[in-house]
Amino acid sequence: MSHAAAPSTGDSAPGPAPGPVPGPCGPRPPAVPWRRILWSAMLGNAVEWYDNALYGILAVVIAQQFFAGGSTTALISTYLGLILSYAVRPIGGTLMGRVGDIKGRKYVLTLTIALMSIGTVAIGLLPTYSAIGVAAPALLALCRVVQGVGASGEYTAAADFLLEHGDKRGRNYLSGWCVGSTSIGPLLASAIAYVMILAVPEHDFNAWGWRVLFLLAAPLSLVTLYIRRHVTETPEFRQVMEQAKAETVKQSPFREAVRGYWRDMLRAIGLGAGQRVGSFVIQSYFVTALVQNGFGEDQALLAAILTYVVGAPAAIWGGRMADRHGGRRLLVAGYSVFVLFTVPTFLAIESGSVVLAFVAVVVFTVINNIVGGPLTTAYVMSFPAHVRGTASALNYNVGTTLLGGTAPLLAAWLHGLTGTDVSFGWYMTFFCLLSALVAGFALPKSVDEARKLPATA
C-alpha cells in the first residue's frame, strides 16, 4: 500500500510519493521509507499505552498482589503507583526532550522504547507482597518510575518525528494517526486480558495469568526497536544541526524554551486539559467504574475494547476535519459537546443498563479522540524546531501529570466520598469548558495554518 506523503485522499496511512515530496524544509527524496516512519512513531505509542491501560485494567488484581489493607485502601495505593509514573514525567520529559533537541528525534525514540519495555516487562517478573512484604510495592514503584521516564518523551518525540517528516498541509491528519496509535496498545491489552479472564480460572489468573500480560510487551517492544533503528533522522532537525554547527552556537533548549515560550506552554496545557482528563478516564478508570457499579469484569473489559476500536478512526477523522475546516473550529465544537456529555456518561454507567453504559463510554471516547489531532499539532508545532523537543515534552508531561495522571485517583476518592461518579463528571466538565475557552480565544496560530485541504481530502 503506497500513498502520497501529504494525505489527500481517504483515511489510509500516507506513503512515499513517486517523486520529490514537499516537506517542512523543502523537497524530501523519494527514497524516504514513509511507511516505516509512520510505524516507528505509532508502535512506540502502542507500547506506552499498553502498559498504562494494563495497569488500569488490572488495578484490582495489582492491589491484591502488591498491597496490604482493605480493598479501597489497596486500590488507592495502586492508583498512587499510576500517579508516580506521571510525577516523574515533567523531569523525564525535559531530559528526553533536551536529548531529542541535541542528539536527534531518532536517538530519543530508541531510548524511550528501551526504558518503557524494561519497566513494563519487569512488573511481570516481580514477587508479590505475600512473598517479600513491603519490598513488593517498592519494586513496583521503581518499575513505574523507569516506565514513566521512558514514556515521558515518547508521545511528543514520536509526534515531532512524524510531523517533521510530513507535509504541513496535512499536519492535523498526521497527528490523528499519532493519537490513533495510542488505541493500539490498550486494544491489545484489553483484548488479551478479556480472553485470559474467560479462558483461565480466576485463581490461576490471580496467581500467574496477570504476569503474562505484562511480559507480552517484550515482543512488541523488540519489533518497534528494530524499526526505529532503520529510519532516517528528520530533515528539519538535520537543518537545525547544520545551522548550529555553522554558527558554533551552544544549544540550550531548556533555558530558551522556559524563558521564551512559557506562555505558549501554559496555553497548550490549558488547551489539552479536558482531553488529558478524558484520556485517563478511558484508559484507567472506566473498567473500575463499571465493575463498581455492578457490571462483571468481562462486561467492563468488553466496553473497554469497544472504546479502543472506535478510538483510532475517530482520531484520524478528526485530524482530517481539522485540516479541512481548521483546528479552532473542531476543538471548540468537540469540547463544547464534551461539556454537555460528560456528566450524562457517568449517569449512564450508574444506570445499571448495559446498553446505556456501553453507548455512553463509546461516545465519550469518540469525542475525546476527535479533538486529539489538532491538539497534538498544537503541542508540537507551537514551538520552533531547535526547542521543539524540550518545549513540547515539557508542556505535554506537566499537563498529563497534573490533570491526567491524577484523574483515576481523584475519581476513586470522589466516589468513596460521595458514593457516585457523577461528582467526578462535574470535575471533568470544568476542564472541558476551560479547554473550549482556550481553543476559542487563544489557540496557537500554527494549528490553523495547515488547513483548507482540497475538497477531495
Side-chain angles (χ1 to χ4, degrees):
M1 183 173 65
S2 177
H3 304 276
S8 59
T9 58
D11 280 341
S12 298
V21 180
C25 298
R28 182 176 66 238
V32 172
W34 179 256
R35 190 181 304 177
R36 186 178 295 171
I37 289 169
L38 182 65
W39 279 107
S40 69
M42 292 175 62
L43 287 178
N45 289 331
V47 174
E48 174 187 354
W49 292 99
Y50 178 91
D51 175 76
N52 280 319
L54 201 58
Y55 196 85
I57 290 169
L58 299 178
V60 175
V61 177
I62 292 173
Q64 295 170 351
Q65 296 293 327
F66 290 96
F67 298 97
S71 58
T72 301
T73 302
L75 186 61
I76 290 177
S77 299
T78 301
Y79 282 133
L80 284 173
L82 182 68
I83 291 178
L84 178 63
S85 70
Y86 285 97
V88 302
R89 285 198 174 202
I91 299 174
T94 301
L95 293 175
M96 291 295 174
R98 186 175 184 276
V99 170
D101 284 331
I102 294 176
K103 289 184 172 291
R105 317 307 190 206
K106 176 182 173 179
Y107 181 92
V108 77
L109 285 175
T110 302
L111 182 59
T112 56
I113 193 66
L115 290 172
M116 288 191 302
S117 59
I118 290 172
T120 303
V121 172
I123 292 177
L125 301 173
L126 291 181
T128 63
Y129 185 90
S130 62
I132 60 173
V134 294
L139 289 174
L140 177 65
L142 178 61
C143 290
R144 294 296 298 170
V145 168
V146 172
Q147 197 277 340
V149 171
S152 66
E154 172 59 38
Y155 185 80
T156 51
D160 292 344
F161 187 75
L162 188 58
L163 294 179
E164 289 181 3
H165 267 297
D167 191 313
K168 68 178 182 179
R169 292 174 300 172
R171 279 176 176 166
N172 291 310
Y173 180 52
L174 292 177
S175 293
W177 279 91
C178 204
V179 175
S181 68
T182 64
S183 294
I184 296 175
L187 178 59
L188 287 174
S190 300
I192 297 172
Y194 181 72
V195 171
M196 288 198 66
I197 285 175
L198 292 180
V200 179
E202 183 178 357
H203 178 271
D204 292 336
F205 183 82
N206 290 337
W208 56 266
W210 63 272
R211 296 182 182 276
V212 175
L213 299 174
F214 284 98
L215 296 177
L216 286 175
L220 182 60
S221 299
L222 289 174
V223 171
T224 306
L225 186 62
Y226 174 81
I227 294 175
R228 287 183 171 181
R229 287 176 62 87
H230 293 82
V231 294
T232 58
E233 185 56 83
T234 71
E236 195 164 353
F237 179 77
R238 290 199 302 267
Q239 186 181 62
V240 169
M241 290 297 97
E242 291 171 3
Q243 183 178 352
K245 184 178 180 180
E247 297 176 355
T248 63
V249 177
K250 182 179 180 181
Q251 293 174 278
S252 302
F254 176 75
R255 182 183 304 173
E256 186 171 349
V258 173
R259 287 184 177 180
Y261 299 95
W262 63 270
R263 291 183 181 86
D264 300 279
M265 287 191 281
L266 287 177
R267 180 171 54 187
I269 291 171
L271 185 65
Q275 202 262 0
R276 291 290 78 208
V277 175
S279 293
F280 282 81
V281 169
I282 295 167
Q283 300 195 9
S284 298
Y285 189 69
F286 268 156
V287 170
T288 300
L290 288 166
V291 171
Q292 287 179 336
N293 282 281
F295 297 92
E297 287 189 359
D298 55 339
Q299 291 178 320
L301 280 177
L302 182 58
I305 291 171
L306 289 176
T307 65
Y308 303 134
V309 168
V310 303
I316 296 168
W317 182 82
R320 286 185 67 208
M321 292 301 99
D323 281 330
R324 182 180 296 175
H325 302 293
R328 185 188 309 276
R329 291 182 181 180
L330 187 114
L331 285 165
V332 170
Y335 276 128
S336 297
V337 174
F338 234 161
V339 167
L340 299 175
F341 194 75
T342 299
V343 169
T345 295
F346 290 101
L347 287 172
I349 290 174
E350 294 182 352
S351 69
S353 168
V354 173
V355 174
L356 281 179
F358 276 35
V359 169
V361 298
V362 167
V363 174
F364 183 102
T365 303
V366 169
I367 300 169
N368 190 77
N369 283 27
I370 281 176
V371 301
L375 179 59
T376 295
T377 302
Y379 282 146
V380 173
M381 304 311 297
S382 297
F383 311 98
H386 66 288
V387 297
R388 183 171 294 150
T390 302
S392 60
L394 187 57
N395 85 73
Y396 175 79
N397 284 293
V398 168
T400 296
T401 299
L402 295 180
L403 302 174
T406 58
L409 175 64
L410 184 61
W413 178 74
L414 285 174
H415 183 274
L417 184 67
T418 65
T420 175
D421 285 315
V422 174
S423 54
F424 179 79
W426 286 112
Y427 170 84
M428 181 176 163
T429 297
F430 167 79
F431 285 107
C432 288
L433 179 60
L434 172 65
S435 295
L437 293 173
V438 174
F441 298 101
L443 184 69
K445 183 181 178 182
S446 56
V447 178
D448 267 345
E449 286 178 345
R451 62 177 299 186
K452 299 300 183 184
L453 289 182
T456 56

